[in-house]
Every structure is written in C-alpha cells, then in structure tokens.
Amino acid sequence: MLKDVTIGQYYPTGSVIHKLDPRTKILFTTAFVVMLFFLNNLWGYLATFVILVTITLLSKIPVGYIIRGIKGLVLIIMLTVVLNLFMTPGTTVATVGPLTVTLEGLKVATYMALRLIFLVIGTSIMTLTTSPIDLTDGMEWCMRFVPFVRRYAHELAMMMSIALRFIPTLMEETERIMKAQKARGANFETGNIISRAKNLIPILIPLFISAFRRADELATAMEARCYRGGENRTRMKQLTFEFRDGTSLVLMVMMIVGLYLTTMIQIPLIFPV
Amino acid sequence: MIMESKNRMIDVRDVYFTYPHNNENESVVALDGVSLHIEKGEFVGIIGHNGSGKSTLSKLLNAIIFPTQGDVIVSGLNTKDHENLWTIRQTAGMVFQNPDNQLVATIVEEDVAFGPENLGVPPQEIRERVDRALAVVEMQAYAHQKPHQLSGGQKQRIAIAGILAMEPECIIFDEPTAMLDPSGRREVMETIKRLNRDKDMTVIHITHFMEEIVAADRIIVLDKGKVVMEGEPRTIFRQVKRLKEIGLDVPQMTELAYELRIEGLKIADDVLSIEEMVNALCQ
Ligand SMILES: Nc1ncnc2c1ncn2[C@@H]1O[C@H](COP(=O)(O)OP(=O)(O)OP(=O)(O)O)[C@@H](O)[C@H]1O
Ligand SMILES: [Mg+2]
C-alpha cells in the first residue's frame, strides 16, 4: 500500500535527462511550475502537454510509472474540479439539483485540473530522473540565491536528505507496527472515518516514539563523525555544469518563452477566450 | 614513563560521570571513579550488565560527553580542551548498536564519504578514502546501493567503512552485533578482528556476547559504574562464579567446563573454545 507512492522516488535509466546537472533541472522545473499559473488558454496547455511528452520520452521512464504518481492525487484534483465547477459564477450551462454549472466554472475547473496534473507530472519527472543526493545538492546550490533562505541552505538540504534516507526505514517500521497491532486484533480496514482514525493512534504513537529515538541516535552518530554544519565542509561529488547543460538550458529558456507566448494567442481552442 | 605515554591510545583517569536527570527526574551516577588505559594496537573487550556504564564510557572516549570529574586523554589530548574536540572525534571513531540509526546518506558510498566531508578533506582524496574503506570491509560491490536494501551485517560494515574513511587510530564499538542475526554477527566480528590484526587498529569492543572477546588482548569488566575486573580473557572467564554474581555470562565452553568440574570431572577451568574443550576432554 505504502509502496505505491512514486513522488520523490528515483528511477535510474541513464538517459540524457538523468545526466543533466540537477541545477539545470531544478531551474527549469521551477520556471515551468510558475509558468503553469500564467497559462490562460488551452493552447498553452496543449504546448505544455507536448513538452512533457517529449521530456518523458527522452527520460525513458515508463509512462505508466509517471501516471501512477497522479493516482495518489486524484482526490485533491477531483475536489478542486468540483469546487470550481459549481462555485464559479457566470453563464449557466446546466443545473444539477440546487447546483449550477457555469461556462466559466467549466473553464476554470478544466484549467485547474490540467494545471495540477501537469504540475505533478513535471515535478515527478524531475525527482524520477535525479538521484536524491543530486537533488539536495542542486537545491542547496539554488537556495544560495534566495534571500532569507540562503543562510539555512545547508541545513535545509541536510534535513531533506535525511528525510529521504529515513522514509523507507519509517515505512518498513509502520508496516511492522501495523502487523503487530493486527495480530492483536486491531482493525484498520473497516469502520467509519472516525473509528479508522482512532485505530491509527496505536500505530502513530509507537512510530513517533521510535522516530524520536532514531533522531537522537542519529544526531549522536553524526556528531561522532565530526558533523558541525556546512562550514568548511567539502563534498566528494562536485556538481559539474557541462556542455549538454548549456544546450538544454537554451532549449529550456526557449520552451518557457514559447509557453509565455501562448498566453497572447487570441484564437479560441474549445473555450471562448 | 615517556615510552609508556607514547604507546598509550587512551587514558581514563579517575572519571566520574553523572546524568543530571533520568526519566524519574533523579540524577544517575553512571561512572563512579573509573581508571583504565588502552595501548595502541590493543583489542580490548568491555563487558558489564545492562546499565553498568559501558555506553557512557564509550561516549566519553570520543568526546560526545565529558567527565563530571576526572580526565579522559585520547592520544595525548584531553577531551576537556575544546580545541581538541574534532581531532579526538576523528582519532577515536565510534560504531553504534543500531545500524539503521547511524547511516546518514541515501547511497552507500555517500554515507562513507560523510565523515571525511565533515573534516573538509579535498574531493579527490575523499574518493580514494571511500574506495579504500569499502574495500577493507569488502563492500565495494554495494557502493551504489541504498542502505535500507542491505542486511544488518552489511549496514554495520558500511558504518565501519564510514569510520575508516576518517582514518582514525582507534575504533570504539558499542554492541555492534547486538541487533544482528548469527551470520551478520559473524561478518561484523570478522571485519573487526581483521582491522585489529591486519591494519593495526586499536579496538575497544563492548558486547554481551562473550564468544566475541575470547581472543581479545584484555577484558575490562564494569559493574555499577566501576571497573571490577581486568585482565586476559583466560583470567577473567575462569572466575565463573564472580561473573555470574554480577549478572554476566561466560563463553559456552567455559560454562560447560565449569558444570563438568562441579560434577567432579577433572578439567581445566580456563577452557575458552570448542577446540580447547576437545583437547581437554581427550587428554
Ligand atoms: N541519557 C541518559 N539520561 C539519564 N540517565 C542515563 C542516560 N543514559 C544512560 N543513563 C543511565 O546511566 C546508567 C548507565 O547507562 P549506560 O547506557 O552507560 O549502560 P550500558 O552499560 O551501556 O547498558 P546497556 O548494556 O543496556 O547498553 C544507567 O543506569 C542508565 O539508566
Ligand atoms: Mg549500552
């Protein structure tokens, strides 16, 4: 059950996309996500779709694997769609009981859904093609340019990598505790939401206690290995910005500009502008 | 005197250590006037009942905690002097009980690199150290794996490699085999023994498994925060009754010899291994 989560996982295939410098990928993904919220017509989303398909093909990651990443978010997407569908005032196109669907609602809901789906796909392509180490190293580098965050760049990156290191360990532990509680007759599958939530308490409490103990021991072990923050620290692997990063950066800038230009298209696609 | 201090790895001089408060909010005297010394290249076993102060002692040795009273000298440096802190932690490495809670990175070789990275070693040299350390623990093939996919014994060997990459003179093992299955325990013990024999590493091995230290140079027995016995394994383990009084086991064969002697069989009281037992019985 817990093993289905694909967000934040690394899927090595050795493709060009994998070989890119993590900083290149982070910069592009950030620009891409920001751009998604500027798009104001379906041409833009069509272009985004083409870009994502191209990158996915280049990355050699099975499409099914990427789609699986969206599955976990179906509920959130549905919720946004439904809310936007019924809550947006405008010209009525249909009525369902007391609720009315407006043309504007239809439009906003479609855009929101596409935005969320593309956002998830875009970011999961980044995490699927970048090893956690590269990702945190890249983020550490990028954070150096963000005011306020700059001072904590190393600490944040370290926190992130420790979190990534311990997610599998804690998941295994959760499953072990669940099995142990089931063996004692606990029931996690039936009952209403409240009783299910209550049943989670005997899992969460031992999990938290153990997580704190782990954190304490890890901190001691890190100190024993001379950890003293980011100052004067060196890295075994240095990030290297290569020729292919230069070329892809140029391509990426072109894509982002292209996406921006779609916002100026006046010809309607399906929805009237 | 000068000769002696030159070969001295660790010197613990009349050390007291008190934890200010435990779960019941009382202060706990964990070490109660401990003096001991470890020479370079020695393999010293430390045993003692739960709560006898073994882990406390080990943490004092690499300056994670500091004596309430007394001095701990590591390679001639007092742990009390703050400027010695990082040199001491680098000189006296430490491997802990739970293999999961001491690996920091998501990839094996990155984890081994963690220590030297903290020390500010140049990247090229870190690479060399990491490769060398992984070779010593025979884990080169796993350099790119994720730690959570390894067995307990393998994780523990990675933890050892992580310490080796810092190039210490001495490694303190605090029950490194306690959470492992028999095969993992064997792997780890072989690695530790090899380090001491071939690499001349000073080893301090804390354990509850007496078989692991029958070949040690010396054994130190702690009880209620005090050193109560000290000597060669043979001299220590022949005192079966005394060890049992402080809640400790002896190696299986020593125990068997002890029982046989009680039954009236004439057999030496310092049998440590199966081999010695066979010899003693066939005489
Ligand atoms: N962080 C702490 N706070 C308060 N008391 C502590 C702490 N750690 C240990 N103690 C107490 O100090 C005493 C010595 O503990 P220590 O962990 O050194 O024993 P140990 O010989 O390593 O035991 P074990 O074999 O169980 O590992 C015990 O009475 C213990 O309860
Ligand atoms: Mg202990």
Side-chain angles (χ1 to χ4, degrees):
Chain A
M1 166 195 87
L2 293 166
K3 300 216 166 77
D4 289 341
V5 182
T6 57
I7 295 182
Q9 278 188 8
Y10 178 45
Y11 191 102
T13 65
S15 76
V16 232
I17 308 285
H18 286 72
K19 286 192 193 114
L20 286 179
D21 189 295
R23 293 170 290 187
T24 318
K25 286 185 263 189
I26 293 171
L27 285 177
F28 178 69
T29 312
T30 316
F32 172 79
V33 168
V34 172
M35 209 51 235
L36 272 182
F37 287 88
F38 278 104
L39 298 183
N40 60 1
N41 59 44
L42 280 178
W43 291 110
Y45 291 105
L46 191 67
T48 313
F49 181 73
V50 173
I51 291 173
L52 283 179
V53 168
T54 320
I55 296 179
T56 308
L57 290 179
L58 281 174
S59 75
K60 298 193 187 134
I61 291 174
V63 179
Y65 205 79
I66 296 178
I67 307 284
R68 230 193 298 164
I70 314 175
K71 258 176 37 187
L73 287 155
V74 163
L75 208 70
I76 297 176
I77 296 173
M78 297 272 271
L79 197 72
T80 6
V81 167
V82 169
L83 281 180
N84 280 305
L85 206 56
F86 296 116
M87 299 302 191
T88 320
T91 11
T92 310
V93 282
T95 46
V96 190
L99 300 168
T100 53
V101 179
T102 62
L103 188 63
E104 283 75 8
L106 212 56
K107 187 169 126 182
V108 175
T110 316
Y111 287 4
M112 252 352 244
L114 288 174
R115 240 173 234 164
L116 285 175
I117 291 170
F118 289 159
L119 190 140
V120 173
I121 293 180
T123 42
S124 32
I125 291 178
M126 177 174 79
T127 55
L128 286 168
T129 60
T130 318
S131 79
I133 300 257
D134 282 349
L135 199 61
T136 43
D137 282 357
M139 293 219 175
E140 184 171 351
W141 186 88
C142 292
M143 280 189 285
R144 281 192 224 152
F145 300 92
V146 186
F148 306 116
V149 180
R150 183 186 309 154
R151 285 173 54 193
Y152 310 103
H154 168 76
E155 281 76 7
L156 287 168
M158 182 56 81
M159 275 160 63
M160 222 153 31
S161 83
I162 289 177
L164 286 169
R165 153 75 185 81
F166 277 91
I167 285 171
T169 310
L170 290 176
M171 285 207 179
E172 269 168 35
E173 182 143 40
T174 314
E175 257 158 44
R176 210 174 46 235
I177 298 172
M178 271 177 113
K179 277 189 196 138
Q181 304 289 23
K182 269 187 195 161
R184 291 178 193 155
N187 181 355
F188 303 116
E189 269 97 33
T190 56
N192 61 25
I193 289 193
I194 293 174
S195 71
R196 275 202 217 185
K198 262 193 194 154
N199 287 341
L200 282 180
I201 293 174
I203 296 177
L204 291 180
I205 289 176
L207 193 65
F208 264 84
I209 292 173
S210 126
F212 277 111
R213 206 199 50 236
R214 281 181 194 283
D216 189 43
E217 285 182 20
L218 184 72
T220 310
M222 285 171 74
E223 267 190 74
R225 289 166 79 181
C226 292
Y227 181 67
R228 52 193 131 164
E231 236 173 281
N232 300 326
R233 200 165 185 269
T234 48
R235 300 307 311 271
M236 175 168 74
K237 287 192 185 137
Q238 309 293 81
L239 294 176
T240 47
F241 197 80
E242 285 174 32
F243 183 71
R244 60 168 165 263
D245 293 295
T247 1
S248 25
L249 212 56
V250 172
L251 281 172
M252 288 166 179
V253 170
M254 280 161 59
M255 283 187 234
I256 298 293
V257 171
L259 282 182
Y260 182 71
L261 290 180
T262 62
T263 60
M264 303 184 179
I265 299 178
Q266 299 293 333
I267 312 149
L269 181 67
I270 305 175
F271 293 118
V273 178
Chain B
M1 202 49 204
I2 291 164
M3 269 295 286
E4 191 180 78
S5 64
K6 213 178 166 191
N7 283 321
R8 188 144 289 183
M9 184 69 242
I10 289 171
D11 211 345
V12 177
R13 295 178 187 157
D14 200 23
V15 163
Y16 292 78
F17 187 86
T18 309
Y19 287 104
H21 39 75
N22 63 1
N23 294 341
E24 276 87 49
N25 231 354
E26 303 156 326
S27 67
V28 181
V29 180
L31 290 181
D32 193 7
V34 168
S35 292
L36 53 87
H37 56 90
I38 314 274
E39 307 301 324
K40 287 201 170 137
E42 255 193 316
F43 189 126
V44 176
I46 298 183
I47 55 177
H49 195 248
N50 290 336
S52 57
K54 305 181 298 295
S55 297
T56 308
L57 176 63
S58 71
K59 283 182 193 150
L60 283 163
L61 300 185
N62 93 341
I64 293 178
I65 55 177
F66 306 93
T68 317
Q69 199 188 312
D71 294 291
V72 175
I73 318 286
V74 177
S75 198
L77 303 173
N78 195 322
T79 59
K80 268 186 188 148
D81 298 336
H82 198 77
E83 67 262 32
N84 294 338
L85 189 68
W86 306 107
T87 324
I88 288 172
R89 288 186 184 167
Q90 182 263 317
T91 313
M94 178 120 172
V95 175
F96 298 86
Q97 178 174 1
N98 190 329
D100 271 323
N101 299 353
Q102 52 187 321
L103 301 182
V104 189
T106 40
I107 302 285
V108 165
E109 62 172 14
E110 292 285 344
D111 189 82
V112 178
F114 182 73
E117 286 179 340
N118 292 334
L119 295 172
V121 174
Q124 187 50 42
E125 198 190 326
I126 301 182
R127 181 77 262 171
E128 287 159 17
R129 286 189 187 198
V130 168
D131 293 342
R132 241 181 292 144
L134 283 172
V136 172
V137 299
E138 293 171 347
M139 288 292 288
Q140 304 105 302
Y142 299 86
H144 300 285
Q145 293 247 10
K146 295 173 190 171
H148 71 96
Q149 294 167 337
L150 305 178
S151 74
Q154 291 173 327
K155 280 184 215 168
Q156 215 51 322
R157 276 149 68 198
I158 296 305
I160 296 175
I163 300 299
L164 286 178
M166 295 169 70
E167 304 193 332
E169 292 171 40
C170 158
I171 306 184
I172 302 141
F173 294 90
D174 189 358
E175 302 192 38
T177 57
M179 302 184 72
L180 307 181
D181 58 11
S183 73
R185 193 175 302 152
R186 202 170 326 116
E187 274 169 40
V188 171
M189 278 321 294
E190 268 163 24
T191 312
I192 298 177
K193 285 179 183 158
R194 191 147 35 82
L195 281 177
N196 177 251
R197 196 180 52 225
D198 303 344
K199 306 273 162 198
D200 228 17
M201 184 71 70
T202 310
V203 168
I204 299 168
H205 183 58
I206 300 174
T207 187
H208 281 292
F209 299 103
M210 303 303 154
E211 267 76 14
E212 293 176 358
I213 46 167
V214 291
D217 295 314
R218 205 147 51 90
I219 292 180
I220 295 171
V221 185
L222 286 183
D223 187 41
K224 303 197 184 78
K226 287 192 162 79
V227 175
V228 289
M229 292 158 96
E230 188 182 340
E232 284 185 9
R234 223 169 275 283
T235 359
I236 299 289
F237 287 132
R238 66 155 49 110
Q239 306 176 49
V240 180
K241 244 182 100 190
R242 184 141 177 242
L243 287 171
K244 291 201 178 238
E245 272 164 22
I246 54 176
L248 288 174
D249 283 331
V250 293
Q252 269 179 350
M253 288 305 132
T254 319
E255 169 99 43
L256 182 60
Y258 175 74
E259 299 289 340
L260 288 173
R261 277 163 59 84
I262 291 178
E263 297 297 321
L265 202 76
K266 265 182 129 183
I267 193 167
D269 59 357
D270 58 356
V271 177
L272 293 178
S273 62
I274 297 183
E275 217 168 80
E276 287 179 21
M277 183 54 122
V278 172
N279 287 337
L281 287 175
C282 293
Q283 261 169 21

